[in-house]
Amino acid sequence: MFIIQCPYCGERDQSEFTHAGEAHIARPTNSADMTDAEWADFLFMRKNTKGVYAERWNHAAGCRKFFNMVRNTATDEILATYAAGQPMPDVTTDLPATPSGEASIGSGNDAVKVMKEGEV
Amino acid sequence: MGKYSFLSLLKQGLTGHHGWEKVWRQPDPKPSYDAVIIGGGGHGLATAYYLAKNHGMTNIAVIEKGWIGGGNSGRNTTIIRSNYLYDASATIYNHALTLWKDLGQELNFNIMMSHRGVLNLAHDEGEARQLKRRVEANRLNGVASEYLDRHQVKEFCPIINISEDSRYPIIGATLQRDGGVNRHDGVVWGFARKADEMGVDIIQQCEVTNILTDNGAVTGVETTRGTIRTPKVACVTAGHTSVIAGMLDIRLPIESHPLQALVSEPMKPVINTVVMSNAVHAYCSQSDKGELVIGAGIDAHVSYTQRGSMDIIEHQMSSMVEIFPIFSRVKMMRQWGGIVDTCPDASPIISKTPVRGFYINGGWGTGGWKATPGSGHCFADLVARDEPNRIAAPFTLERFVTGDLVAEHGAAAVAH
């Protein structure tokens, strides 16, 4: 459960928001010339990153505006929120030592955790 | 390895249970295998079992980053049914149901399969019509399904509240009598034991960190325990399917979400079947330990953290208490989350990929457990023969390009 900083309204509870999928996917302007594979990529294929991930949210029970968020999907740490149309800001965060592993403040599932150098 | 039987139990019982052998070996990875399966959950181990049994491929390994059965196999609500609307789904889930029926015998392991029936509730006329349509579609596909009116529902499951004063009154339900639940650990351990017996190496606490290719074909995997050469890699990693495919720059139509379940304090037997409601989105059965096993919907955001939001629990508990007022003072004991890989059409991907020798079995979303043996059976066939059989064919990755989707959302009476 998140406390989300809406860029327009400030801090609110997650239950006021709806998630609206991956951010920064531009709708193609040359749709008539696109192949089926290009359409499939636009419509269906998603990064689904474990780690730093930009996504859209809608403050549905508030200002009803869409905005973007950068979140670490391995830990659920919210790194930034910013207005739609803005570029993704640079962020630093704690990532897992291995691609499918757990970060130091991850889910607490230590059975699958590979430690980083120096981590105890 | 000894066969489990009444006699072996008696013998061990008389000698203090000191003679039981290890159920599977703990081998070190070999330098090369004929195939490597990434992911030691139910689907991965079933794939290994059927590769060894049906296709004679015994020089293979299952690589698991944690412990076998410690991911979604150990986190789901074990509901088994096959009452899906479309032919492709009904075929694969019913294939699995057929295999479930004899699986305990076949594996010589008690999977505690209980065909106690699955009710899918209807709360309004529109839903009732949908469910009746699905019953007819099920029958055409050989899935034994029937529609009950609300009094028949009450007769079948006496503790259910059919009052017309409910916020979402129950007006009927479909019943699949051979649906039910089983024991998740039993299934995982049973598959692991038999696969191991046939020579499959089950390697735990070993994570795949990269997939090696040459000229567009798989040549091996790098792991936290060294490099393994292999011409075939089968990815069965549920929530982490995109992460593994990402190692080969393959983009997938999958998003990973937390899905929660919770169990109550143990009670005497009170609910004799599995009850699912799509409209209020909750489902419930009772385990043999006596705990109510309750599930609900996913968190809408992408996450890999294996924990869900509190408001989802609140929602599912309010739904449960309306359907079963008798549970209003039951205490909930444990809650957990798993990461499910959902596809836009709510159907799985069992497919070859643009990289030769790399196969994907994923995208099962919220409802993979019921398919475990069927999924492993047809995926093993795909990995061994390099082409999908009739059951797997509709679930290719290509369908997202051709538009030939198996759109089961809603149609499946989800609540998986």
Side-chain angles (χ1 to χ4, degrees), chain A residues 19 21-23 46-56 69-73 79 82 88, chain B residues 255 301-302:
Chain A
H19 187 262
E22 186 179 320
R46 294 294 179 261
K47 286 183 188 152
N48 198 25
T49 317
K50 181 167 188 171
V52 177
Y53 182 70
E55 61 196 354
R56 297 188 309 156
M69 176 192 290
V70 189
R71 189 165 50 87
N72 181 348
T73 58
L79 302 164
Y82 53 102
M88 179 178 148
Chain B
E255 289 195 317
H301 55 269
V302 170

Side-chain angles (χ1 to χ4, degrees), chain B residues 95 108 119 333 341 344 355 378:
Chain B
H95 177 49
N108 180 228
L119 283 174
M333 195 167 65
D341 44 338
V355 177
C378 65

Side-chain angles (χ1 to χ4, degrees), chain A residues 1-2 14-15 19 21-22 36-37 39-51 53 55 57 71-77 98-102 105-114, chain B residues 64-67 70 75 205 207-210 224 239-240 242-244 247 251-258 299-311 341 344 397 399-402 405:
Chain A
M1 196 89 195
F2 306 149
Q14 182 185 352
S15 54
H19 187 262
E22 186 179 320
D36 289 350
W39 266 119
D41 195 76
F42 165 69
L43 281 174
F44 297 126
M45 303 303 165
R46 294 294 179 261
K47 286 183 188 152
N48 198 25
T49 317
K50 181 167 188 171
Y53 182 70
E55 61 196 354
W57 287 80
R71 189 165 50 87
N72 181 348
T73 58
T75 63
D76 275 348
E77 183 190 3
T98 48
S100 312
E102 297 294 321
I105 53 163
S107 63
N109 186 353
D110 288 340
V112 300
K113 188 167 172 182
V114 177
Chain B
E64 164 58 43
K65 69 174 176 175
W67 307 110
R75 293 162 190 269
Q205 295 280 285
E207 184 185 325
V208 169
T209 53
N210 201 7
T224 48
H240 283 79
S242 300
V243 175
I244 302 292
M247 293 172 184
R251 273 164 66 77
L252 295 177
I254 287 176
E255 289 195 317
S256 297
H257 300 273
D299 276 39
H301 55 269
V302 170
S303 179
Y304 288 86
T305 55
Q306 294 186 322
R307 58 176 174 239
S309 301
M310 200 63 186
D311 57 331
D341 44 338
L397 192 49
R399 73 178 188 267
F400 295 97
V401 175
T402 61
L405 304 180

Side-chain angles (χ1 to χ4, degrees), chain B residues 7-229:
Chain B
L7 275 180
S8 70
L9 185 63
L10 186 69
K11 188 176 152 224
Q12 294 297 336
L14 292 173
T15 54
H17 292 290
H18 294 300
W20 295 113
E21 294 168 49
K22 287 258 166 73
V23 180
W24 55 82
R25 298 164 294 130
Q26 303 274 7
D28 288 323
K30 289 194 254 180
S32 76
Y33 289 98
D34 294 339
V36 165
I37 296 161
I38 310 176
H43 289 237
L45 291 163
T47 305
Y49 169 74
Y50 289 115
L51 268 175
K53 177 175 169 253
N54 294 351
H55 305 280
M57 289 179 68
T58 53
N59 182 31
I60 61 176
V62 176
I63 296 185
E64 164 58 43
K65 69 174 176 175
W67 307 110
I68 59 167
N72 290 356
S73 294
R75 293 162 190 269
N76 71 94
T77 53
T78 74
I79 297 170
I80 309 295
R81 60 184 182 90
S82 62
N83 52 353
Y84 282 69
L85 179 65
Y86 292 118
D87 295 353
S89 324
T91 304
I92 192 165
Y93 290 108
N94 213 39
H95 177 49
L97 184 60
T98 309
L99 292 169
W100 279 125
K101 287 180 180 172
D102 300 320
L103 197 63
Q105 289 293 328
E106 186 181 331
L107 298 178
N108 180 228
F109 206 100
N110 186 4
I111 64 165
M112 295 165 75
M113 186 69 226
S114 158
H115 298 279
R116 61 182 67 176
V118 175
L119 283 174
N120 288 103
L121 304 178
H123 296 272
D124 60 57
E125 285 300 333
E127 199 174 17
R129 270 197 300 275
Q130 270 292 332
L131 290 184
K132 285 176 188 164
R133 177 191 175 209
R134 187 159 56 84
V135 165
E136 300 305 330
N138 288 162
R139 287 179 172 174
L140 290 174
N141 277 316
V143 177
S145 191
E146 58 200 275
Y147 187 82
L148 308 183
D149 67 28
R150 69 190 183 98
H151 296 292
Q152 290 168 315
V153 172
K154 181 81 178 168
E155 201 174 316
F156 188 74
C157 181
I159 62 166
I160 215 161
N161 171 25
I162 57 166
S163 159
E164 287 172 334
D165 297 331
S166 296
R167 173 70 181 82
Y168 297 100
I170 291 160
I171 63 170
T174 63
L175 172 61
Q176 185 178 14
R177 288 184 193 271
D178 56 0
V181 290
N182 56 18
R183 169 87 183 136
H184 53 90
D185 286 332
V187 174
V188 169
W189 296 336
F191 273 127
R193 174 169 168 264
K194 275 290 173 193
D196 178 87
E197 194 178 286
M198 289 186 282
V200 175
D201 280 358
I202 297 165
I203 301 160
Q204 303 179 84
Q205 295 280 285
C206 176
E207 184 185 325
V208 169
T209 53
N210 201 7
I211 301 172
L212 306 171
T213 57
D214 185 31
N215 254 336
V218 164
T219 59
V221 291
E222 282 174 8
T223 75
T224 48
R225 291 175 67 180
T227 302
I228 300 169
R229 315 300 297 183

